[in-house]
Amino acid sequence: MFLAWHEMKYEKLRYGLIITVIGLIAFLIFIISSLALGLAHQNTAAIDSWHTKSTLMNKDANGNMGQSVMTESELAAQTQNKQTAVVGITPTNISKTHKSDHDAVQFIGINSDEYIAQNLKLSKGHQPKHQNEVIISDKLSQYKVNDKIRIGLDDTEYTVSGVTPDALYNMAPVVYGNLKNWSPIKGINPTFKASGLISKSSASLQTNDKRLKVYDRQSYLDNLPGYTAQKMTFIFMIVFLILISLIVVTIFLYILTIQKLPNLAVLRAQGIPNRYLVQNTFNETLLIMILAIGFGAVLTAVSAFFMPNSVPVYFDLPLMLGVAGGILGTGLLGSFIPMWVITKIDPVTVIGG
Amino acid sequence: MTTLALKHINKTFGSGQNKVYALKDVSFETAPGDLTLILGPSGSGKSTLLTILGGLQTPTTGDMVVNNQNIKKLTQHQRETFRLNEIGFVLQSYNLVPYLTVSDQFTLVDHVKKQDNLDDADFEQVIKQLGIEKLLHQYPSELSGGQAQRVAIARALYANPSIILADEPTAALDSDRVIQVGQLLQSIAHQQNKSVVTVTHDIRLKEFADHIYELVDGELTQVK
């Protein structure tokens, strides 16, 4: 570390610029990762809050619970217990009574005696006491407890009884209501009673009904409309940014090494071991990457402070550490070519001339 | 006692009709306390000879023995250790690491060679003798040519080698400086009992040498 540290201290501007460029790339990766996680969170927050392990729904729904419908007899034939809950999910919209502004939501009908309803955490208000009372996501900040609202195709007047945090499903805020209201809100035949079953048990749901299909948690998430495409887009962006950072680090270190070749050749001639010089390049890369990632992390923290609430970023420390580890790892990988160049230095070149 | 001995060294490049002799049957010896001057014009094989003396190249034929050790038989790693322990190079240019202060140039040696470097008392004596004691916190870019050359000599001496190899140490120096460097190399040889081999085309150094050789077209002839 001796040579690396002194060189960086001496060449402050040069190394400062390199650290800035790599730090900005790290910042971009942090922000995009947080944005990806934030958007994923908007898809799955409600599903996560149910501790979903497996789901059961109509086979024709192709894994999209919002498209699934099940009759009472189909439901009755399924094994249900304290770890399962029947849900009726439909994308719809809500509006305050006598107002024309509509807001897109996901209505999720649940039974009050099942675990999802019983585990709902409220930040305001109370649990529904009547069939026409609903709990809304705190993202619907324009609505307040006791507001009268209309939902979807149903003419019934509903009352907001409570507000719950972390209630988002497939990018839309959730309105939890009584399962009996699901079919009129969705505007379908009342013989259909629900979309499907959710289970938080590690033992997967089972069914003998060939019209129904069980999905594990990941398949359920992957079949949410737009979720996989969105996830893959972000994964590609992050992977490409990390690859770009690898290329940038390699180019910088390669140019730095080429510029230092006469000095390194002198050191080799003087008997400084090859291993010491290679180790020095590795240490230099480590220092650059740590400082750059630190700079990127500070920028991310500052940006997070000023970022408007409407931007769906979600900062998660384990994810950040994982991303930082990825950037660090690829950076160190980038030092291999300069290290190889150092092993090929011929000290004879500095004699004579 | 011989510190360094070259025995019938030949160095050729190319083969067949393109075979070129850089060194032809070169033999010579140095002992502790000797300042040996090898004079020769450009292209005479001086650099090749210096790289062989420094263990950077192996001769095509012949042997080189340093302190009773045949250098030709050493591995790459052993040669690095040999250079670090036995050879102090004073090169024409790029002698010093630009981003290390004069003091740190010596610390670097401590990092790679943990033992047998000059102790504090000897180090004080060397830097006083070379007149660089007030330059310890300066970077090479802040030194004059002569100061940098003296620091490079001190750096070469710091690892306490038995042999000092100097490559054109007076290049680009005026006559006054040439005399100073000549006296310095002479005192290193005589007072510190080192074998100093200087490869140069600067005849102004002749008066300081104990032994003088001329290298012409790869052939070495002793003239003093």
Side-chain angles (χ1 to χ4, degrees):
Chain A
M1 203 58 93
F2 174 77
L3 273 181
W5 177 244
H6 279 83
E7 186 177 4
M8 290 175 71
K9 214 168 65 172
Y10 184 74
E11 299 277 5
K12 288 184 189 74
L13 180 64
R14 180 185 296 189
Y15 282 94
L17 289 172
I18 291 171
I19 288 166
T20 303
V21 171
I22 299 171
L24 287 172
I25 295 173
F27 165 64
L28 199 58
I29 296 173
F30 283 142
I31 288 291
I32 288 178
S33 303
S34 305
L35 197 60
L37 191 68
L39 286 168
H41 187 72
Q42 291 206 342
N43 270 301
T44 64
I47 297 165
D48 292 338
S49 74
W50 306 336
H51 306 290
T52 309
K53 292 282 192 316
S54 61
T55 63
L56 174 78
M57 67 185 87
N58 193 307
K59 198 174 186 178
D60 295 335
N62 290 326
N64 179 7
M65 190 74 98
Q67 297 290 324
S68 173
V69 287
M70 285 175 71
T71 62
E72 190 160 17
S73 59
E74 284 171 336
L75 276 169
Q78 308 310 316
T79 308
Q80 294 181 42
N81 53 42
K82 286 184 178 176
Q83 308 234 352
T84 61
V86 180
V87 292
I89 299 176
T90 184
T92 184
N93 55 58
I94 63 171
S95 62
K96 286 183 186 174
T97 316
H98 311 303
K99 291 210 173 171
S100 57
D101 291 343
H102 288 74
D103 295 289
V105 298
Q106 290 278 352
F107 177 82
I108 299 180
I110 48 179
N111 287 320
S112 58
D113 58 346
E114 290 180 335
Y115 87 91
I116 291 178
Q118 291 178 347
N119 293 344
L120 263 188
K121 292 188 177 96
L122 300 185
S123 56
K124 286 176 191 166
H126 58 81
Q127 295 283 357
K129 292 172 185 164
H130 307 287
Q131 188 178 326
N132 293 343
E133 286 185 335
V134 293
I135 292 171
I136 61 170
S137 163
D138 61 358
K139 299 289 177 198
L140 295 163
S141 54
Q142 61 276 44
Y143 297 87
K144 295 185 175 55
V145 173
N146 294 326
D147 273 358
K148 306 290 182 193
I149 60 170
R150 292 196 191 283
I151 309 175
L153 301 172
D154 194 1
D155 288 333
T156 311
E157 189 179 74
Y158 291 90
T159 304
V160 176
S161 74
V163 176
T164 182
D166 254 358
L168 291 158
Y169 184 97
N170 204 192
M171 307 296 293
V174 167
V175 172
Y176 285 106
N178 194 299
L179 185 62
K180 288 174 185 160
N181 299 324
W182 169 74
S183 56
I185 286 171
K186 192 172 173 70
I188 58 170
N189 192 311
T191 53
F192 296 112
K193 297 296 180 189
S195 302
L197 264 177
I198 301 285
S199 173
K200 64 174 180 175
S201 168
S202 50
S204 177
L205 288 165
Q206 303 287 335
T207 183
N208 296 321
D209 192 331
K210 290 185 178 174
R211 292 166 298 178
L212 305 178
K213 190 173 176 184
V214 174
Y215 292 85
D216 63 17
R217 179 191 151 81
Q218 195 54 52
S219 309
Y220 178 37
L221 296 180
D222 289 344
N223 281 298
L224 286 171
Y227 177 77
T228 302
Q230 188 187 75
K231 187 175 76 175
M232 293 310 291
T233 304
F234 278 105
I235 287 173
F236 269 103
M237 285 168 77
I238 292 164
V239 167
F240 279 120
L241 276 172
I242 288 179
L243 284 177
I244 288 168
S245 78
L246 167 68
I247 293 164
V248 169
V249 171
T250 307
I251 290 171
F252 278 148
L253 290 173
Y254 181 74
I255 292 170
L256 282 175
T257 306
I258 294 294
Q259 287 175 336
K260 288 189 297 191
L261 279 182
N263 296 123
L264 294 169
V266 165
L267 291 172
R268 288 288 314 280
Q270 288 170 338
I272 305 292
N274 222 342
R275 198 174 41 190
Y276 183 84
L277 299 176
V278 167
Q279 178 76 45
N280 177 63
T281 298
F282 184 84
N283 291 340
E284 193 172 273
T285 313
L286 189 66
L287 262 179
I288 289 172
M289 293 311 294
I290 288 173
L291 291 171
I293 291 168
F295 175 59
V298 169
L299 278 183
T300 308
V302 172
S303 304
F305 186 75
F306 290 105
M307 210 165 271
N309 285 335
S310 54
V311 181
V313 288
Y314 189 83
F315 295 101
D316 179 62
L317 190 61
L319 174 83
M320 289 294 170
L321 290 175
V323 169
I327 301 169
L328 181 67
T330 48
L332 293 176
L333 206 63
S335 67
F336 282 4
I337 291 178
M339 287 197 287
W340 176 78
V341 169
I342 288 171
T343 63
K344 298 292 168 199
I345 290 173
D346 185 1
V348 170
T349 56
V350 293
I351 307 294
Chain B
M1 185 185 164
T2 303
T3 314
L4 185 154
L6 294 190
K7 297 174 181 174
H8 306 292
I9 294 287
N10 285 290
K11 181 69 181 177
T12 58
F13 295 102
S15 60
Q17 288 187 331
N18 296 323
K19 191 171 179 178
V20 175
Y21 276 87
L23 296 174
K24 289 179 200 165
D25 196 27
V26 169
S27 297
F28 93 102
E29 290 182 358
T30 65
D34 280 353
L35 170 57
T36 304
L37 207 63
I38 297 175
L39 289 165
S42 297
S44 60
K46 294 198 305 292
S47 297
T48 306
L49 179 59
L50 198 69
T51 56
I52 289 173
L53 289 171
L56 297 169
Q57 282 199 89
T58 47
T60 310
T61 59
D63 288 312
M64 183 174 112
V65 178
V66 176
N67 295 330
N68 301 320
Q69 197 175 19
N70 192 334
I71 303 307
K72 208 175 169 183
K73 292 178 180 169
L74 299 183
T75 63
Q76 175 76 14
H77 178 66
Q78 286 170 327
R79 274 170 200 236
E80 280 178 354
T81 310
F82 155 75
R83 284 202 298 277
L84 193 59
N85 292 325
E86 304 293 347
I87 305 285
F89 266 111
V90 180
L91 303 170
Q92 268 185 65
S93 53
Y94 303 115
N95 273 340
L96 303 170
V97 182
Y99 47 84
L100 295 181
T101 61
V102 170
S103 172
D104 287 332
Q105 307 280 340
F106 304 111
T107 311
L108 173 62
V109 180
D110 285 331
H111 275 268
V112 292
K113 184 172 178 257
K114 310 280 183 195
Q115 294 171 348
D116 300 328
N117 296 325
L118 292 186
D119 60 26
D120 288 349
D122 288 342
F123 177 65
E124 287 292 322
Q125 194 187 338
V126 165
I127 60 171
K128 270 187 188 160
Q129 187 185 1
L130 292 165
I132 59 167
E133 68 270 34
K134 290 181 180 166
L135 307 175
L136 291 179
H137 300 295
Q138 290 188 285
Y139 286 98
S141 60
E142 297 164 338
L143 304 175
S144 68
Q147 287 172 331
Q149 188 65 287
R150 280 181 280 149
V151 171
I153 292 169
R155 153 74 189 75
L157 288 170
Y158 185 71
N160 205 12
S162 56
I163 302 160
I164 298 288
L165 295 180
D167 179 23
E168 301 281 8
T170 54
L173 293 185
D174 60 31
S175 292
D176 289 344
R177 288 283 177 205
V178 171
I179 291 168
Q180 282 179 17
V181 170
Q183 287 170 339
L184 190 60
L185 293 172
Q186 196 177 48
S187 74
I188 290 166
H190 295 171
Q191 290 175 22
Q192 300 193 28
N193 212 33
K194 310 279 184 197
S195 292
V196 180
V197 179
T198 300
V199 173
T200 183
H201 63 264
D202 191 343
I203 55 170
R204 293 173 294 182
L205 286 172
K206 268 182 164 178
E207 62 181 288
F208 305 99
D210 301 306
H211 308 284
I212 299 173
Y213 292 84
E214 277 185 358
L215 187 64
V216 179
D217 294 335
E219 293 185 48
L220 193 70
T221 314
Q222 185 163 13
V223 294
K224 179 182 174 186

